[in-house]
Amino acid sequence: MTATPNAPVKRGTSLDGSGLRLTYGDRVVADGLDLDIPAGKVTALVGPNACGKSTALRALARLLKPAAGTVHLDGHDLADFPARELALQLALLPQTPTAPDGITVRDLVARGRTPHQRWWRQWSSADEAVVDRVLLATGTAALADRSLDELSGGQRQRVWIAMALAQDTPVLLLDEPTTYLDLAHQVDVLELVAHLNRTEGRTVVMVLHELNLACRYADHLVALRAGRVMAAGPPSEIVTPQLVQDVFDLPATVIACPVAGTPLVIPEGGRQTTGDD
């Protein structure tokens, strides 16, 4: 049985888009796009620049209204959810989030509890407990009283993820969560995402640029090019030299990662462009 739009959606929530036409003004980014996001799994959207990854994520988050087609959350049309109810089901971390100057880590994370507030139910001990829990889960508890402005890029990204987690939604959307981070911090953030998925069963969709990291940390991969799905499925099943060539115009060898056993893409040379990027 699926939930109604006004009832809490269970952990392991599905998300999908069918026949999506996504546009910015007269510019068509995708037409007839179908996305099937497995419930309770980590899905990564990958592809070259300007292929429609972030646009697709915006449509899944209802930040961009499709010109045609429908997005469903656990079988229900996303357009039917009142804004507050949707904020209880789906949290989004955008590419470049902003915060007021001088805000502390704890105060920023506490903003994730806003959808849970009512005029008759203000801040409670339950809200405080959620904030404490996500600060611990993201390794940011020691930073709670520090200003966000003082933190490193990796620390700030963990804090932003903590705020999204404090929203306590079954679906978490992350738009390029590793952007501007060095390799060590990229791995830290993705290890955190994978851990939260395994322990809490959240459905996670993230846009990633680094294909090898996507292969390592995602259960499900969606490879996009020019607004079309070129392949979708477990990385071990779909990532091949031909797919890398078709999606990225890049000759490559694909081997099993000696550490994780996941596909490891080794470029063989420069891109062979076709003029459509």
Side-chain angles (χ1 to χ4, degrees):
M1 178 183 298
T2 56
T4 63
N6 293 316
V9 176
K10 65 183 184 302
R11 292 292 194 229
T13 296
S14 64
L15 187 65
D16 66 81
S18 58
L20 300 178
R21 180 178 172 86
L22 306 178
T23 64
Y24 292 112
D26 294 332
R27 184 168 71 90
V28 178
V29 178
D31 198 1
L33 179 64
D34 294 326
L35 294 169
D36 187 7
I37 307 300
K41 302 292 185 181
V42 177
T43 294
L45 308 182
V46 299
N49 292 337
C51 71
K53 301 184 298 294
S54 292
T55 300
L57 196 75
R58 286 173 58 82
L60 294 176
R62 208 173 73 178
L63 292 182
L64 178 66
K65 183 179 179 180
T70 308
V71 177
H72 293 97
L73 178 68
D74 238 22
H76 296 280
D77 191 333
L78 206 65
D80 292 340
F81 283 80
R84 186 190 155 276
E85 294 299 327
L86 184 61
L88 293 173
Q89 314 302 338
L90 186 152
L92 170 70
L93 178 61
Q95 285 186 35
T96 53
T98 58
D101 292 340
I103 191 170
T104 66
V105 167
R106 179 175 289 276
D107 286 344
L108 180 65
V109 173
R111 293 189 173 203
R113 300 302 297 164
T114 300
H116 298 266
Q117 307 302 307
R118 305 282 207 288
W119 67 266
W120 69 88
R121 181 196 178 281
Q122 299 301 310
W123 189 261
S124 68
S125 58
D127 295 313
E128 195 72 29
V130 171
V131 171
D132 288 340
R133 175 173 60 82
V134 300
L135 286 170
L136 286 171
T138 54
T140 55
L143 307 174
D145 296 325
R146 292 180 60 182
S147 168
L148 188 71
D149 301 331
E150 302 173 5
L151 306 185
S152 70
Q155 289 172 326
R156 283 197 300 272
Q157 198 69 336
R158 280 178 168 265
V159 172
W160 284 112
I161 291 175
M163 187 190 75
L165 292 176
Q167 206 169 318
D168 201 24
T169 60
V171 178
L172 182 62
L173 307 180
L174 306 172
D175 195 354
E176 299 186 26
T178 59
T179 298
Y180 308 126
L181 301 183
D182 61 37
L183 182 58
H185 283 108
Q186 290 180 42
V187 171
D188 284 346
V189 166
L190 294 175
E191 287 280 356
L192 170 63
V193 170
H195 173 75
L196 293 167
N197 166 260
R198 290 192 303 267
T199 57
E200 300 185 4
R202 296 175 191 253
T203 298
V204 179
V205 188
M206 55 185 178
V207 171
L208 288 180
H209 276 296
E210 225 302 321
L211 181 57
N212 286 329
L213 289 178
C215 288
R216 180 162 179 171
Y217 289 101
D219 305 301
H220 186 78
L221 214 62
V222 179
L224 296 165
R225 175 163 180 156
R228 295 190 300 118
V229 175
M230 303 295 288
S236 60
E237 295 181 8
I238 70 167
V239 178
T240 64
Q242 188 62 55
L243 180 74
V244 178
Q245 178 67 60
D246 292 344
V247 173
F248 295 96
D249 294 317
L250 183 68
T253 295
V254 178
I255 64 173
C257 172
V259 175
T262 52
L264 182 65
V265 177
I266 303 173
E268 295 177 356
R271 296 177 71 227
Q272 298 177 358
T273 58
T274 58
D276 60 351
D277 289 341

